[in-house]
Amino acid sequence: MEPPDFEAMNYTVEQEASPYPFCEEWREGSEGSVFHLASIFLFLGFMGGSGFYGLLYLFTFLTLGFFCSTLWGWSDPCTTDSFLWSFALFGVCLGQVLHVAYRLRNVSFEKEFLELYHSMFKKLGVPLADFGKIVACCDGDIHTIEKNHCFAIEGKTAIDKLSVLLSGRIRVTVNGEFLHYIYPFQFLDSPEWDSLRPSEEGVFQVTLRADNPCRYVAWRRKKLYLLFAKHRYIAKIFALVVRNDIAEKLYSLNDNAFDKSGHRYDLRLPSYCHMAVTELEKADVLLQVPGQSGRTA
């Protein structure tokens, strides 16, 4: 029996070539300007803010970034997956840019409503979409008052709306005596609105007369309460701006309040704090505790 020929039986397996090239060494040069430009656009895009304009900023830069990334992936035949993903994300971001731009076009307002938004609602962070619902609640109507005409008459005009002055000046009087002025972007009837519950009715206790031609926007009570029921966020915003307006009116009244002796009233403090010094001394005597002379309560 002949011994086996191990040399003839020595089979060698040839290594198959890998479809993906191995990274044998680092590239000496950079990836090129398009790759770095894509990274810069993506970095700027992710710094975008909120709201419609923030979204437009975000997706615009993301679209540019993924477009540059798509060009970079196309230039290298070994990055087919990177090209496909970049192209897909480019299409998604471009669609978002068009969608946001279309929505911005739909929420465009007249000049006076834009001034109202910037003066009262923008500083509270109210999005344009929510402000659009507020404008839609008043049907986008702007009303006018001629000079010396009355917006409300004391004891006669019903409280059935909430209004904001857009231009002009309104004089507020009670029993013929001047109280204060109402200037643009202030509520005309915030105290009356806040004094009634949704189911209650009432009439104005003051007279509001236009000193010059005025323009204002008004929301009907029922429609506004329906809006509040659907959108609690808008209800909170209105509660904030209405009560802030009432506080400003109280301070303006405080500046004009004097008694018969010429002393200024302070509406925030009890009445005895508005007395003259001699009257306060008399009140101090009355506050002394019996049996403890020289000491007060």
Side-chain angles (χ1 to χ4, degrees), residues 52-137:
F52 278 115
Y53 292 104
L55 290 176
L56 189 62
Y57 171 92
L58 169 68
F59 287 113
T60 298
F61 276 99
L62 289 184
T63 300
L64 294 174
F66 286 122
F67 176 72
C68 292
S69 181
T70 302
L71 293 179
W72 171 78
W74 179 263
S75 64
D76 191 346
C78 296
T79 56
T80 305
D81 294 340
S82 299
F83 166 77
L84 293 177
W85 273 108
S86 299
F87 184 76
L89 293 173
F90 162 73
V92 171
C93 292
L94 180 61
Q96 286 290 337
V97 169
L98 297 177
H99 176 67
V100 174
Y102 175 76
R103 293 184 64 185
L104 273 175
R105 183 180 179 182
N106 285 349
V107 295
S108 60
F109 307 105
E110 297 181 10
K111 180 181 177 181
E112 289 171 306
F113 281 112
L114 281 177
E115 292 175 352
L116 175 65
Y117 173 74
H118 289 292
S119 299
M120 297 182 62
F121 296 96
K122 184 177 180 180
K123 58 186 176 182
L124 300 177
V126 178
L128 281 174
D130 290 330
F131 182 69
K133 298 173 185 175
I134 296 173
V135 174
C137 185

Coordinates of all heavy atoms in Angstrom, one line a residue, residues 52-137:
F52 N -43.7 79.6 13.2 CA -43.7 79.4 11.8 C -42.4 79.8 11.2 O -41.8 79.1 10.4 CB -44.8 80.2 11.1 CG -46.2 79.4 11.2 CD1 -47.2 80.0 11.9 CD2 -46.3 78.3 10.5 CE1 -48.4 79.3 11.9 CE2 -47.5 77.6 10.5 CZ -48.6 78.1 11.3
Y53 N -41.9 81.0 11.6 CA -40.6 81.4 11.1 C -39.4 80.6 11.6 O -38.5 80.4 10.8 CB -40.4 82.9 11.4 CG -41.4 83.8 10.8 CD1 -42.5 84.4 11.5 CD2 -41.2 84.1 9.4 CE1 -43.4 85.2 10.8 CE2 -42.1 85.0 8.8 CZ -43.2 85.5 9.5 OH -44.1 86.3 8.9
G54 N -39.5 80.1 12.8 CA -38.5 79.2 13.3 C -38.5 77.9 12.5 O -37.4 77.4 12.1
L55 N -39.7 77.3 12.1 CA -39.7 76.1 11.3 C -39.2 76.4 9.9 O -38.5 75.5 9.3 CB -41.2 75.6 11.3 CG -41.7 75.0 12.6 CD1 -43.2 74.7 12.4 CD2 -40.9 73.8 13.0
L56 N -39.6 77.5 9.4 CA -39.1 77.9 8.0 C -37.6 78.0 8.0 O -36.9 77.5 7.0 CB -39.7 79.2 7.6 CG -39.5 79.6 6.1 CD1 -40.2 78.5 5.2 CD2 -40.1 80.9 5.8
Y57 N -37.0 78.6 9.0 CA -35.6 78.7 9.1 C -34.9 77.3 9.2 O -34.0 77.0 8.5 CB -35.2 79.6 10.3 CG -33.7 79.6 10.7 CD1 -32.9 80.6 10.2 CD2 -33.2 78.6 11.5 CE1 -31.5 80.6 10.5 CE2 -31.8 78.6 11.8 CZ -31.0 79.6 11.3 OH -29.7 79.6 11.6
L58 N -35.5 76.5 10.1 CA -35.0 75.1 10.3 C -34.9 74.3 9.1 O -33.9 73.8 8.7 CB -35.8 74.5 11.4 CG -35.6 73.0 11.7 CD1 -34.2 72.7 12.2 CD2 -36.6 72.4 12.6
F59 N -36.1 74.2 8.4 CA -36.2 73.3 7.3 C -35.5 73.8 6.0 O -35.1 73.1 5.2 CB -37.6 72.9 7.0 CG -38.2 72.0 8.0 CD1 -39.2 72.4 8.8 CD2 -37.8 70.7 8.1 CE1 -39.8 71.6 9.8 CE2 -38.4 69.8 9.0 CZ -39.4 70.3 9.9
T60 N -35.3 75.2 5.9 CA -34.6 75.7 4.8 C -33.1 75.3 4.9 O -32.6 74.9 3.9 CB -34.8 77.2 4.8 OG1 -36.1 77.6 4.6 CG2 -33.9 77.9 3.7
F61 N -32.5 75.5 6.0 CA -31.1 75.1 6.2 C -30.9 73.6 6.1 O -29.9 73.1 5.6 CB -30.5 75.7 7.5 CG -30.1 77.1 7.3 CD1 -30.9 78.1 7.8 CD2 -28.9 77.4 6.8 CE1 -30.5 79.4 7.6 CE2 -28.4 78.7 6.6 CZ -29.3 79.7 7.1
L62 N -31.9 72.8 6.6 CA -31.8 71.4 6.5 C -31.9 70.9 5.1 O -31.2 70.0 4.6 CB -32.9 70.7 7.4 CG -32.7 70.7 8.9 CD1 -33.8 69.9 9.6 CD2 -31.3 70.3 9.3
T63 N -32.7 71.6 4.3 CA -32.9 71.3 2.9 C -31.6 71.5 2.2 O -31.1 70.7 1.4 CB -34.0 72.1 2.2 OG1 -35.2 71.8 2.9 CG2 -34.1 71.8 0.8
L64 N -30.9 72.7 2.4 CA -29.7 73.0 1.8 C -28.6 72.0 2.2 O -27.7 71.6 1.4 CB -29.3 74.4 2.2 CG -30.1 75.5 1.6 CD1 -29.7 76.9 2.2 CD2 -30.1 75.6 0.1
G65 N -28.6 71.7 3.5 CA -27.6 70.7 4.0 C -27.7 69.4 3.4 O -26.7 68.8 3.0
F66 N -28.9 68.8 3.3 CA -29.1 67.5 2.7 C -28.9 67.5 1.2 O -28.5 66.5 0.6 CB -30.4 66.9 3.1 CG -30.5 66.5 4.5 CD1 -31.5 67.0 5.4 CD2 -29.7 65.5 5.0 CE1 -31.5 66.6 6.7 CE2 -29.7 65.1 6.3 CZ -30.7 65.6 7.2
F67 N -29.1 68.7 0.6 CA -28.9 68.7 -0.8 C -27.4 68.7 -1.1 O -26.9 67.9 -2.0 CB -29.4 70.1 -1.4 CG -29.1 70.3 -2.8 CD1 -29.8 69.6 -3.8 CD2 -28.2 71.3 -3.2 CE1 -29.5 69.8 -5.2 CE2 -27.9 71.5 -4.5 CZ -28.6 70.7 -5.5
C68 N -26.6 69.4 -0.3 CA -25.1 69.3 -0.5 C -24.6 67.9 -0.1 O -23.7 67.4 -0.8 CB -24.5 70.3 0.4 SG -24.7 72.1 -0.1
S69 N -25.2 67.3 0.9 CA -24.8 65.9 1.2 C -25.2 65.0 0.1 O -24.4 64.0 -0.2 CB -25.5 65.5 2.5 OG -25.2 64.2 2.9
T70 N -26.3 65.2 -0.6 CA -26.6 64.4 -1.8 C -25.6 64.5 -2.9 O -25.2 63.5 -3.5 CB -28.0 64.8 -2.3 OG1 -29.0 64.6 -1.2 CG2 -28.5 63.9 -3.5
L71 N -25.2 65.8 -3.1 CA -24.2 66.0 -4.2 C -22.8 65.3 -3.8 O -22.2 64.7 -4.7 CB -23.9 67.5 -4.4 CG -25.1 68.3 -4.9 CD1 -24.7 69.8 -5.0 CD2 -25.5 67.8 -6.3
W72 N -22.5 65.3 -2.5 CA -21.3 64.7 -2.1 C -21.4 63.2 -2.3 O -20.5 62.5 -2.7 CB -21.0 65.0 -0.6 CG -19.9 64.2 0.0 CD1 -18.5 64.4 -0.2 CD2 -20.0 63.1 0.8 NE1 -17.8 63.5 0.5 CE2 -18.7 62.7 1.1 CE3 -21.1 62.5 1.4 CZ2 -18.5 61.6 2.0 CZ3 -20.9 61.4 2.2 CH2 -19.6 61.0 2.5
G73 N -22.6 62.6 -1.9 CA -22.7 61.2 -2.0 C -22.8 60.7 -3.5 O -22.3 59.6 -3.8
W74 N -23.3 61.6 -4.4 CA -23.3 61.2 -5.8 C -21.9 61.2 -6.4 O -21.6 60.5 -7.4 CB -24.2 62.2 -6.6 CG -24.2 62.0 -8.0 CD1 -23.5 62.7 -9.0 CD2 -25.1 61.1 -8.7 NE1 -23.8 62.2 -10.3 CE2 -24.8 61.3 -10.1 CE3 -26.0 60.2 -8.3 CZ2 -25.5 60.5 -11.1 CZ3 -26.7 59.4 -9.3 CH2 -26.4 59.6 -10.6
S75 N -21.0 62.1 -5.9 CA -19.6 62.2 -6.4 C -18.8 61.0 -6.1 O -17.7 60.7 -6.7 CB -19.0 63.4 -6.0 OG -18.8 63.4 -4.5
D76 N -19.2 60.2 -5.1 CA -18.4 59.0 -4.7 C -19.2 57.8 -4.9 O -20.2 57.5 -4.3 CB -18.0 59.1 -3.2 CG -17.0 58.1 -2.7 OD1 -16.7 57.2 -3.5 OD2 -16.4 58.3 -1.6
P77 N -18.7 56.9 -5.8 CA -19.5 55.7 -6.2 C -19.6 54.7 -5.0 O -20.4 53.8 -5.0 CB -18.8 55.1 -7.4 CG -17.4 55.6 -7.3 CD -17.5 57.0 -6.7
C78 N -18.8 54.8 -4.0 CA -18.8 53.9 -2.9 C -19.7 54.3 -1.8 O -19.8 53.7 -0.8 CB -17.4 53.8 -2.3 SG -16.2 53.1 -3.5
T79 N -20.5 55.4 -2.0 CA -21.4 55.8 -0.9 C -22.8 55.9 -1.5 O -23.5 56.9 -1.4 CB -21.0 57.3 -0.5 OG1 -21.0 58.1 -1.6 CG2 -19.6 57.2 0.2
T80 N -23.3 54.7 -2.0 CA -24.6 54.7 -2.6 C -25.7 54.9 -1.5 O -26.7 55.6 -1.7 CB -24.8 53.3 -3.3 OG1 -23.8 53.2 -4.3 CG2 -26.2 53.3 -3.9
D81 N -25.5 54.2 -0.3 CA -26.5 54.3 0.8 C -26.5 55.8 1.3 O -27.6 56.3 1.6 CB -26.1 53.4 1.9 CG -26.2 51.9 1.5 OD1 -26.9 51.7 0.5 OD2 -25.6 51.1 2.1
S82 N -25.4 56.4 1.4 CA -25.4 57.8 1.9 C -26.1 58.7 0.9 O -26.9 59.6 1.3 CB -23.9 58.3 2.0 OG -23.2 57.5 3.0
F83 N -25.9 58.4 -0.4 CA -26.6 59.2 -1.4 C -28.1 59.1 -1.3 O -28.9 60.0 -1.3 CB -26.1 58.8 -2.8 CG -27.0 59.4 -3.9 CD1 -26.9 60.7 -4.3 CD2 -27.9 58.5 -4.6 CE1 -27.8 61.2 -5.3 CE2 -28.7 59.0 -5.6 CZ -28.6 60.3 -6.0
L84 N -28.6 57.8 -1.2 CA -30.0 57.6 -1.1 C -30.7 58.2 0.1 O -31.7 58.8 0.0 CB -30.3 56.1 -1.2 CG -29.9 55.4 -2.5 CD1 -30.2 53.9 -2.4 CD2 -30.7 55.9 -3.7
W85 N -30.0 58.0 1.3 CA -30.6 58.6 2.5 C -30.6 60.1 2.4 O -31.5 60.8 2.8 CB -29.8 58.1 3.7 CG -30.3 56.8 4.3 CD1 -29.7 55.6 4.2 CD2 -31.5 56.6 5.0 NE1 -30.4 54.6 4.8 CE2 -31.6 55.2 5.3 CE3 -32.5 57.5 5.3 CZ2 -32.6 54.7 6.0 CZ3 -33.6 56.9 6.0 CH2 -33.7 55.6 6.4
S86 N -29.5 60.7 1.9 CA -29.4 62.2 1.8 C -30.5 62.7 0.9 O -31.1 63.7 1.2 CB -28.0 62.6 1.4 OG -27.1 62.2 2.3
F87 N -30.7 62.0 -0.2 CA -31.7 62.4 -1.2 C -33.1 62.3 -0.6 O -34.0 63.2 -0.8 CB -31.6 61.6 -2.5 CG -32.5 62.0 -3.5 CD1 -32.3 63.2 -4.3 CD2 -33.7 61.3 -3.8 CE1 -33.1 63.6 -5.3 CE2 -34.6 61.7 -4.8 CZ -34.3 62.9 -5.5
A88 N -33.4 61.3 0.2 CA -34.7 61.1 0.8 C -34.9 62.2 1.8 O -36.0 62.8 1.9 CB -34.8 59.7 1.4
L89 N -33.9 62.5 2.7 CA -34.1 63.5 3.7 C -34.2 64.9 3.0 O -34.9 65.8 3.5 CB -32.9 63.5 4.6 CG -32.9 62.2 5.5 CD1 -31.6 62.2 6.3 CD2 -34.1 62.2 6.5
F90 N -33.5 65.1 1.9 CA -33.6 66.4 1.2 C -35.1 66.5 0.7 O -35.7 67.6 0.8 CB -32.7 66.3 0.0 CG -33.0 67.4 -1.1 CD1 -32.8 68.7 -0.9 CD2 -33.5 66.9 -2.3 CE1 -33.1 69.6 -1.9 CE2 -33.8 67.9 -3.3 CZ -33.6 69.2 -3.1
G91 N -35.7 65.5 0.1 CA -37.1 65.6 -0.3 C -38.0 65.9 0.8 O -39.0 66.7 0.7
V92 N -37.8 65.2 2.0 CA -38.7 65.4 3.1 C -38.6 66.9 3.6 O -39.6 67.6 3.9 CB -38.4 64.5 4.3 CG1 -39.1 64.8 5.5 CG2 -38.7 63.0 3.8
C93 N -37.4 67.4 3.8 CA -37.2 68.8 4.2 C -37.8 69.8 3.2 O -38.4 70.8 3.6 CB -35.8 69.0 4.5 SG -35.1 68.1 5.9
L94 N -37.6 69.5 2.0 CA -38.1 70.4 0.9 C -39.7 70.5 1.0 O -40.3 71.5 0.9 CB -37.7 70.0 -0.4 CG -38.1 70.9 -1.6 CD1 -37.6 72.3 -1.5 CD2 -37.7 70.3 -2.9
G95 N -40.3 69.3 1.2 CA -41.7 69.3 1.4 C -42.2 70.1 2.6 O -43.2 70.8 2.6
Q96 N -41.4 70.0 3.7 CA -41.8 70.8 4.9 C -41.6 72.3 4.7 O -42.4 73.1 5.2 CB -40.8 70.3 6.1 CG -41.2 69.0 6.7 CD -42.5 69.0 7.4 OE1 -43.0 70.0 7.9 NE2 -43.1 67.8 7.5
V97 N -40.6 72.7 3.9 CA -40.4 74.1 3.6 C -41.7 74.6 2.8 O -42.2 75.7 3.1 CB -39.2 74.3 2.8 CG1 -39.1 75.8 2.2 CG2 -37.9 74.1 3.7
L98 N -42.1 73.9 1.8 CA -43.3 74.3 1.0 C -44.5 74.3 1.9 O -45.4 75.2 1.7 CB -43.4 73.3 -0.2 CG -42.3 73.3 -1.2 CD1 -42.5 72.3 -2.3 CD2 -42.1 74.7 -1.8
H99 N -44.7 73.3 2.8 CA -45.9 73.3 3.6 C -45.9 74.4 4.6 O -47.0 75.1 4.8 CB -45.8 71.9 4.4 CG -47.0 71.8 5.4 ND1 -48.3 71.7 5.0 CD2 -47.0 71.8 6.8 CE1 -49.0 71.6 6.1 NE2 -48.3 71.7 7.2
V100 N -44.8 74.8 5.2 CA -44.8 75.9 6.2 C -45.0 77.2 5.5 O -45.7 78.1 5.9 CB -43.4 75.9 7.0 CG1 -43.3 77.1 7.8 CG2 -43.3 74.7 7.8
A101 N -44.4 77.4 4.3 CA -44.6 78.6 3.5 C -46.0 78.8 3.1 O -46.6 79.9 3.1 CB -43.7 78.6 2.3
Y102 N -46.7 77.6 2.8 CA -48.1 77.7 2.4 C -49.0 78.1 3.6 O -49.9 78.9 3.5 CB -48.6 76.4 1.9 CG -50.0 76.3 1.6 CD1 -50.6 76.9 0.4 CD2 -50.9 75.6 2.5 CE1 -52.0 76.8 0.2 CE2 -52.3 75.5 2.2 CZ -52.8 76.1 1.1 OH -54.1 76.1 0.8
R103 N -48.6 77.6 4.8 CA -49.4 77.9 6.0 C -49.1 79.4 6.4 O -50.0 80.1 6.9 CB -49.0 77.0 7.1 CG -49.4 75.6 6.9 CD -49.1 74.7 8.2 NE -49.9 75.2 9.3 CZ -49.7 74.7 10.5 NH1 -48.8 73.7 10.7 NH2 -50.4 75.1 11.6
L104 N -47.9 79.9 6.2 CA -47.6 81.3 6.5 C -48.5 82.2 5.5 O -48.9 83.3 6.0 CB -46.2 81.6 6.3 CG -45.3 81.3 7.5 CD1 -43.8 81.5 7.1 CD2 -45.6 82.2 8.7
R105 N -48.6 81.8 4.3 CA -49.4 82.6 3.4 C -50.9 82.6 3.8 O -51.5 83.6 3.6 CB -49.3 82.0 2.0 CG -50.0 82.8 0.9 CD -49.9 82.2 -0.5 NE -50.6 82.9 -1.5 CZ -50.6 82.6 -2.7 NH1 -50.0 81.5 -3.2 NH2 -51.3 83.3 -3.6
N106 N -51.4 81.5 4.4 CA -52.8 81.5 4.8 C -53.0 82.3 6.0 O -54.2 82.7 6.3 CB -53.2 80.0 5.0 CG -53.4 79.3 3.7 OD1 -53.4 79.8 2.7 ND2 -53.5 78.0 3.8
V107 N -52.0 82.6 6.9 CA -52.2 83.3 8.1 C -51.8 84.8 8.0 O -51.4 85.4 8.9 CB -51.5 82.7 9.3 CG1 -52.1 81.3 9.6 CG2 -50.0 82.6 9.0
S108 N -51.7 85.3 6.8 CA -51.4 86.7 6.6 C -52.6 87.6 7.0 O -53.7 87.2 6.8 CB -51.1 87.0 5.1 OG -52.2 86.6 4.3
F109 N -52.3 88.7 7.6 CA -53.3 89.6 8.2 C -53.2 91.0 7.6 O -52.1 91.4 7.0 CB -53.2 89.7 9.7 CG -53.2 88.3 10.4 CD1 -52.0 87.8 10.9 CD2 -54.3 87.6 10.5 CE1 -52.0 86.6 11.5 CE2 -54.3 86.3 11.1 CZ -53.1 85.8 11.6
E110 N -54.2 91.8 7.8 CA -54.2 93.2 7.5 C -53.2 93.9 8.4 O -52.8 93.4 9.4 CB -55.5 93.8 7.6 CG -56.6 93.3 6.7 CD -57.9 93.9 6.8 OE1 -58.0 95.0 7.5 OE2 -58.9 93.4 6.2
K111 N -52.8 95.1 8.0 CA -51.8 95.9 8.7 C -52.2 96.1 10.2 O -51.4 96.0 11.1 CB -51.5 97.2 8.0 CG -50.4 98.1 8.7 CD -50.2 99.4 7.9 CE -49.2 100.3 8.7 NZ -49.1 101.6 8.0
E112 N -53.4 96.5 10.4 CA -53.9 96.8 11.7 C -53.9 95.6 12.6 O -53.6 95.7 13.8 CB -55.3 97.4 11.7 CG -55.2 98.9 11.1 CD -56.6 99.4 10.9 OE1 -57.4 98.7 10.2 OE2 -56.9 100.5 11.3
F113 N -54.2 94.4 12.1 CA -54.2 93.2 12.9 C -52.7 92.8 13.2 O -52.5 92.3 14.3 CB -54.9 92.1 12.2 CG -56.4 92.1 12.3 CD1 -57.2 92.4 11.2 CD2 -57.0 92.0 13.5 CE1 -58.6 92.5 11.3 CE2 -58.4 92.0 13.6 CZ -59.2 92.3 12.5
L114 N -51.8 93.0 12.2 CA -50.4 92.8 12.5 C -49.9 93.7 13.6 O -49.1 93.2 14.5 CB -49.6 92.9 11.2 CG -49.6 91.8 10.2 CD1 -48.8 92.2 9.0 CD2 -49.1 90.5 10.8
E115 N -50.3 94.9 13.6 CA -49.9 95.8 14.7 C -50.5 95.4 16.0 O -49.8 95.5 17.1 CB -50.3 97.3 14.3 CG -49.6 97.9 13.2 CD -50.2 99.2 12.8 OE1 -51.2 99.6 13.4 OE2 -49.6 99.9 11.9
L116 N -51.7 94.9 16.0 CA -52.3 94.4 17.2 C -51.5 93.2 17.7 O -51.3 93.0 18.9 CB -53.8 94.0 16.9 CG -54.5 93.3 18.1 CD1 -54.7 94.3 19.3 CD2 -55.9 92.8 17.6
Y117 N -51.1 92.3 16.8 CA -50.4 91.1 17.2 C -49.0 91.5 17.8 O -48.6 91.0 18.9 CB -50.1 90.2 16.0 CG -49.2 89.0 16.2 CD1 -49.7 87.9 17.0 CD2 -47.9 89.0 15.8 CE1 -48.8 86.9 17.2 CE2 -47.1 88.0 16.0 CZ -47.5 86.9 16.7 OH -46.7 85.8 17.0
H118 N -48.3 92.4 17.2 CA -47.0 92.8 17.7 C -47.1 93.5 19.0 O -46.2 93.5 19.8 CB -46.2 93.6 16.7 CG -45.8 92.8 15.5 ND1 -44.8 91.9 15.5 CD2 -46.2 92.8 14.2 CE1 -44.6 91.3 14.3 NE2 -45.5 91.9 13.5
S119 N -48.2 94.3 19.2 CA -48.3 95.1 20.4 C -48.8 94.3 21.6 O -48.4 94.6 22.8 CB -49.3 96.3 20.2 OG -48.8 97.1 19.1
M120 N -49.6 93.3 21.4 CA -50.3 92.6 22.6 C -50.0 91.1 22.7 O -49.9 90.6 23.8 CB -51.8 92.8 22.5 CG -52.3 94.3 22.6 SD -54.1 94.4 22.5 CE -54.5 93.5 24.0
F121 N -49.8 90.5 21.6 CA -49.8 89.0 21.6 C -48.4 88.4 21.4 O -48.1 87.3 21.9 CB -50.8 88.4 20.7 CG -52.2 88.7 21.0 CD1 -52.9 89.8 20.4 CD2 -52.9 88.0 21.9 CE1 -54.2 90.1 20.7 CE2 -54.2 88.2 22.2 CZ -54.9 89.3 21.6
K122 N -47.6 89.1 20.6 CA -46.3 88.5 20.2 C -45.4 88.4 21.4 O -44.6 87.4 21.6 CB -45.6 89.3 19.1 CG -44.3 88.7 18.6 CD -43.7 89.6 17.5 CE -42.4 89.0 17.0 NZ -41.8 89.7 15.9
K123 N -45.4 89.4 22.3 CA -44.5 89.4 23.5 C -44.9 88.3 24.5 O -44.1 87.9 25.3 CB -44.6 90.7 24.2 CG -46.0 91.2 24.6 CD -46.0 92.6 25.1 CE -47.4 93.1 25.5 NZ -47.4 94.5 26.0
L124 N -46.1 87.7 24.3 CA -46.6 86.6 25.1 C -46.2 85.3 24.5 O -46.6 84.2 25.0 CB -48.0 86.7 25.4 CG -48.5 88.0 26.2 CD1 -50.0 88.0 26.4 CD2 -47.8 88.0 27.6
G125 N -45.6 85.3 23.3 CA -45.3 84.1 22.6 C -46.4 83.4 21.9 O -46.4 82.2 21.7
V126 N -47.5 84.1 21.6 CA -48.6 83.5 20.9 C -48.3 83.2 19.5 O -47.9 84.1 18.7 CB -49.9 84.5 21.0 CG1 -51.1 83.9 20.2 CG2 -50.2 84.8 22.4
P127 N -48.4 82.0 19.0 CA -48.1 81.7 17.6 C -49.1 82.3 16.6 O -50.2 82.7 17.0 CB -48.2 80.1 17.5 CG -48.2 79.7 18.9 CD -48.8 80.8 19.8
L128 N -48.6 82.6 15.4 CA -49.5 83.2 14.4 C -50.7 82.3 14.1 O -51.8 82.8 13.8 CB -48.7 83.4 13.1 CG -47.8 84.6 13.1 CD1 -47.0 84.7 11.8 CD2 -48.6 85.9 13.2
A129 N -50.6 81.0 14.2 CA -51.7 80.1 14.0 C -52.8 80.4 15.0 O -54.0 80.5 14.7 CB -51.3 78.7 14.0
D130 N -52.5 80.5 16.3 CA -53.5 80.8 17.3 C -54.0 82.2 17.2 O -55.2 82.5 17.4 CB -52.9 80.6 18.7 CG -52.6 79.2 19.0 OD1 -53.3 78.3 18.5 OD2 -51.6 78.9 19.8
F131 N -53.2 83.2 16.8 CA -53.7 84.5 16.6 C -54.7 84.5 15.4 O -55.6 85.3 15.4 CB -52.5 85.5 16.3 CG -53.0 86.9 16.1 CD1 -53.5 87.6 17.2 CD2 -52.9 87.5 14.9 CE1 -53.9 89.0 17.0 CE2 -53.3 88.8 14.7 CZ -53.8 89.5 15.7
G132 N -54.4 83.7 14.4 CA -55.4 83.6 13.3 C -56.8 83.1 13.7 O -57.8 83.6 13.2
K133 N -56.8 82.2 14.8 CA -58.1 81.8 15.3 C -58.8 83.0 16.0 O -60.0 83.1 16.0 CB -57.9 80.6 16.3 CG -57.3 79.4 15.6 CD -57.0 78.3 16.6 CE -56.3 77.1 15.9 NZ -55.8 76.1 16.9
I134 N -58.0 83.8 16.7 CA -58.6 85.0 17.4 C -59.2 86.0 16.4 O -60.2 86.5 16.6 CB -57.5 85.7 18.2 CG1 -57.0 84.7 19.3 CG2 -58.0 87.0 18.8 CD1 -55.8 85.2 20.1
V135 N -58.4 86.2 15.3 CA -58.9 87.1 14.2 C -60.2 86.5 13.6 O -61.1 87.2 13.3 CB -57.8 87.4 13.2 CG1 -58.4 88.2 12.0 CG2 -56.6 88.1 13.8
A136 N -60.2 85.2 13.3 CA -61.3 84.6 12.7 C -62.6 84.7 13.6 O -63.7 84.7 13.1 CB -61.0 83.1 12.4
C137 N -62.4 84.7 14.9 CA -63.5 84.8 15.8 C -64.2 86.1 15.7 O -65.4 86.2 15.9 CB -63.0 84.6 17.3 SG -64.3 84.6 18.5

